Amino acid sequence: MRVQSIAIVFLVGIIPIVSVSWSLIQTYNQKAVSQRINELQRQGNSLANLLQSTGYLTNKDIPEVNSEIAQIAGIYEGRIIIVNNSLNIVKDTYGLEEGNTLIAEVVIKTLRGTNAPFHNKNRNYIEMTIPITHNTANNTTKEVMGVIVMIFSTKNIVAISDMLSQKTVVLFITMAILIFVFAFFYSAVLTKPLKRLRGAIEHLTEGYMDEEVSISGFYETDLISNSLNQMLLRMKNLEKSRQEFVSNVSHELKTPLTSVKVLADSLLMQENVAPELYREFLVDIAEEIERESKIINDLLSLVKLDKTASDMNIASTNINDLLESVLKRLRPIAKKRNIELVFESFRPVVAEVDEVKLSLAISNLIENAIKYNVEDGWVRVSLNADHKYFYVKVADSGIGIPEDAQDFIFDRFYRVDKARSRGTGGTGLGLSITKNAIHMHKGAIKVYSKENEGTTFTVRVPINYIA
Ligand code: ADP
């Protein structure tokens, strides 16, 4: 990233300098040449008028005209050749060709009335021809009597442009060094927070999770630090709940085993134990083993539900039938305590659900409604739906849940009244299994409860499974 940002700053800084300098030099060249052509054109025209008015083409011994010609040639460091309409050279400022004939295309064209200046860029000279005209007798047309050929060097223009180019190169090198130095340090400033971020992440990876990450300097780095700290907090919470879970599991699994050991030890320590006492203790031992096995089963259910959504076995299911079969299974338990178990369906519902997981979830709710109920109480299960969701309500006339406990009942191993719940065979895992199962269906679960009046759990699940 640092190399990239140096390259970008460097290019962005240098390319405009190079292109602007190059186009300035080009513009200067064009302007200077066209200005020189205009000047020469003007000088040439006034010279042509002078030659015509003095009759120079027939008599060239006019000192003022000759000195004028020499002056122009001198000022512009060029050569002037004057040709008459018979292509004879009347005057050559270099004195080389006088008296000779000049047969050149430009001269012939000019005599015919078409001439244009010519700039030879490679050999650095401007060549132009100017007709010497005089008006015909009736003043309507112009007769070309001769041609002034002017050849002028553009070397001084080239010299200036060369000088400019040299200055540009110096400017370019200076700017390149300055920009490079700037880019070098600026990229260091830009990448510094990233380096610190990497350092911070490495520090975390090494296990120093208690320290907060702080990479200030830029707004963006502040945002990154915040997100990182949030992630860290989440990880810490996860770790904390994992540790809590492990210690809870160990504790819960140990409790029935401790009871079994105490029961067995007390039998072993006594001599001649009555067979009835053996029996009584063994019944207790069997109960504790039963409890241990229930905890293990619940834990396994929970672990299964902790897996990803790809483990969902989704199928179109008749929810009325599903609830009926759960109720059928639980009816004998309700009957034992003379609890009335009613199912109320407002409409038939077919939804895309994992039948096993949903049955487990609802079954836990109804089981609790029976378990934490009063003798001769009631449990009402109802099913309703709209176009998007179906709703299952489990209401009971039971002991209710104290308000301060309602926030925790979905936590693993949480039980409002440990002693009572133990008596009813609770593990504290039922509601967290239910909640996980409902969440895997992208549903929601809520509880309304009043102590000594009853509890209502409402479950809302999408009819069409949302992957
Ligand atoms: P448990 O195995 O103890 O029933 P759950 O996770 O199913 O564990 O429930 C957690 C606690 O919430 C229970 O111990 C009980 O105190 C309370 N609870 C759950 N359902 C009801 C209910 N219908 N009425 C009263 N209390 C309830």
Side-chain angles (χ1 to χ4, degrees):
M1 193 176 155
R2 188 152 180 213
V3 174
Q4 259 179 25
S5 55
I6 292 178
I8 289 169
V9 175
F10 190 68
L11 289 177
V12 168
I14 282 301
I15 290 172
I17 293 178
V18 173
S19 62
V20 167
S21 314
W22 187 80
S23 78
L24 275 179
I25 293 171
Q26 288 304 311
T27 318
Y28 165 76
N29 275 340
Q30 282 166 11
K31 277 263 171 213
V33 168
S34 78
Q35 199 181 353
R36 179 64 58 85
I37 288 172
N38 286 342
E39 266 174 45
L40 290 174
Q41 190 90 46
R42 248 187 300 118
Q43 296 283 0
N45 286 341
S46 72
L47 185 61
N49 287 338
L50 185 67
L51 296 182
Q52 196 274 324
S53 62
T54 52
Y56 186 83
L57 287 172
T58 46
N59 172 23
K60 65 169 196 162
D61 292 328
I62 308 166
E64 305 88 66
V65 179
N66 278 330
S67 80
E68 175 76 19
I69 296 169
Q71 203 184 354
I72 296 171
I75 291 171
Y76 294 102
E77 293 174 37
R79 182 181 186 183
I80 297 177
I81 299 169
I82 297 166
V83 186
N84 66 17
N85 55 7
S86 315
L87 300 177
N88 283 329
I89 297 175
V90 178
K91 171 82 182 169
D92 174 6
T93 51
Y94 279 14
L96 300 172
E97 303 282 346
E98 278 177 22
N100 289 346
T101 312
L102 179 63
I103 306 170
E105 200 188 336
V106 278
V107 175
I108 296 165
K109 270 190 179 169
T110 312
L111 285 171
R112 287 189 192 143
T114 49
N115 68 319
F118 169 73
H119 176 211
N120 187 326
K121 278 188 188 159
N122 293 333
R123 294 177 59 194
N124 300 323
Y125 68 86
I126 298 169
E127 183 185 284
M128 53 196 300
T129 52
I130 289 151
I132 305 164
T133 53
H134 102 114
N135 292 342
T136 48
N138 54 13
N139 251 351
T140 49
T141 50
K142 284 190 170 174
E143 187 185 351
V144 181
M145 300 173 60
V147 175
I148 305 171
V149 180
M150 307 207 290
I151 302 153
F152 287 98
S153 159
T154 53
K155 275 195 178 122
N156 52 358
I157 295 174
V158 172
I160 291 174
S161 105
D162 281 352
M163 190 191 71
L164 282 178
S165 302
Q166 276 168 15
K167 293 214 156 135
T168 310
V169 171
V170 174
L171 176 77
F172 170 78
I173 293 170
T174 319
M175 287 305 286
I177 293 169
L178 283 178
I179 291 172
F180 184 78
V181 171
F182 169 76
F184 187 80
F185 286 108
Y186 190 60
S187 66
V189 172
L190 271 186
T191 51
K192 200 173 164 193
L194 293 179
K195 259 190 193 160
R196 282 170 55 202
L197 182 68
R198 200 188 66 193
I201 292 174
E202 275 169 5
H203 199 60
L204 292 180
T205 320
E206 283 160 14
Y208 298 97
M209 303 235 300
D210 292 333
E211 291 164 32
E212 272 223 333
V213 177
S214 163
I215 312 152
S216 52
F218 295 96
Y219 173 68
E220 288 78 2
T221 55
D222 280 347
L223 289 183
I224 293 176
S225 324
N226 284 345
S227 311
L228 215 58
N229 283 328
Q230 273 172 17
M231 190 186 83
L232 210 59
L233 192 70
R234 214 178 125 69
M235 276 166 64
K236 279 188 219 160
N237 286 341
L238 275 175
E239 177 60 16
K240 205 171 128 202
S241 81
R242 192 187 65 84
Q243 279 173 2
E244 261 173 31
F245 181 64
V246 170
S247 90
N248 282 343
V249 168
S250 334
H251 175 79
E252 295 295 328
L253 289 177
K254 249 177 95 180
T255 316
L257 287 181
T258 314
S259 304
V260 168
K261 180 143 175 53
V262 168
L263 288 164
D265 279 352
S266 60
L267 279 182
L268 287 172
M269 269 157 55
Q270 293 176 44
E271 301 268 325
N272 303 326
V273 183
E276 299 81 53
L277 200 64
Y278 256 117
R279 213 184 149 68
E280 197 188 316
F281 275 36
L282 279 177
V283 168
D284 288 348
I285 288 175
E287 265 174 22
E288 291 300 332
I289 292 172
E290 176 75 15
R291 183 170 161 70
E292 181 89 14
S293 131
K294 187 165 167 28
I295 295 173
I296 291 172
N297 280 340
D298 277 3
L299 275 173
L300 287 177
S301 304
L302 204 62
V303 170
K304 268 189 211 153
L305 286 170
D306 268 350
K307 287 188 185 164
T308 51
S310 59
D311 298 307
M312 293 287 273
N313 199 359
I314 299 294
S316 195
T317 310
N318 185 319
I319 305 298
N320 298 64
D321 290 351
L322 182 144
L323 292 179
E324 295 274 14
S325 81
V326 171
L327 285 163
K328 192 174 162 202
R329 197 166 50 77
L330 296 176
R331 233 170 221 122
I333 309 173
K335 211 168 174 190
K336 271 190 202 159
R337 299 183 62 203
N338 198 23
I339 291 169
E340 188 192 15
L341 192 50
V342 198
F343 175 45
E344 223 179 348
S345 167
F346 291 92
R347 62 192 73 225
V349 178
V350 174
E352 292 169 356
V353 296
D354 181 319
E355 195 176 340
V356 176
K357 291 189 177 82
L358 191 71
S359 294
L360 185 64
I362 305 289
S363 170
N364 280 343
L365 292 181
I366 303 174
E367 240 176 286
N368 280 350
I370 299 168
K371 266 196 307 194
Y372 303 103
N373 215 321
V374 288
E375 298 289 320
D376 309 319
W378 50 260
V379 174
R380 284 195 197 114
V381 180
S382 69
L383 171 67
N384 205 347
D386 55 26
H387 64 288
K388 229 171 154 188
Y389 301 99
F390 69 87
Y391 305 86
V392 180
K393 216 186 240 185
V394 180
D396 65 55
S397 60
I399 57 168
I401 304 166
E403 213 172 313
D404 53 354
Q406 288 177 15
D407 285 343
F408 308 105
I409 51 169
F410 296 103
D411 292 353
R412 291 160 176 176
F413 296 113
Y414 182 83
R415 283 165 295 179
V416 178
D417 179 348
K418 298 219 178 222
R420 185 191 172 108
S421 172
R422 200 173 154 72
T424 53
T427 60
L429 292 172
L431 283 182
S432 50
I433 292 173
T434 299
K435 191 178 149 188
N436 276 11
I438 301 297
H439 281 181
M440 285 187 93
H441 285 86
K442 303 284 184 307
I445 180 164
K446 276 189 183 147
V447 61
Y448 306 92
S449 185
K450 216 161 188 197
E451 253 185 301
N452 302 320
E453 279 185 26
T455 306
T456 303
F457 282 93
T458 55
V459 170
R460 189 192 72 185
V461 179
I463 289 178
N464 296 313
Y465 178 68
I466 309 160

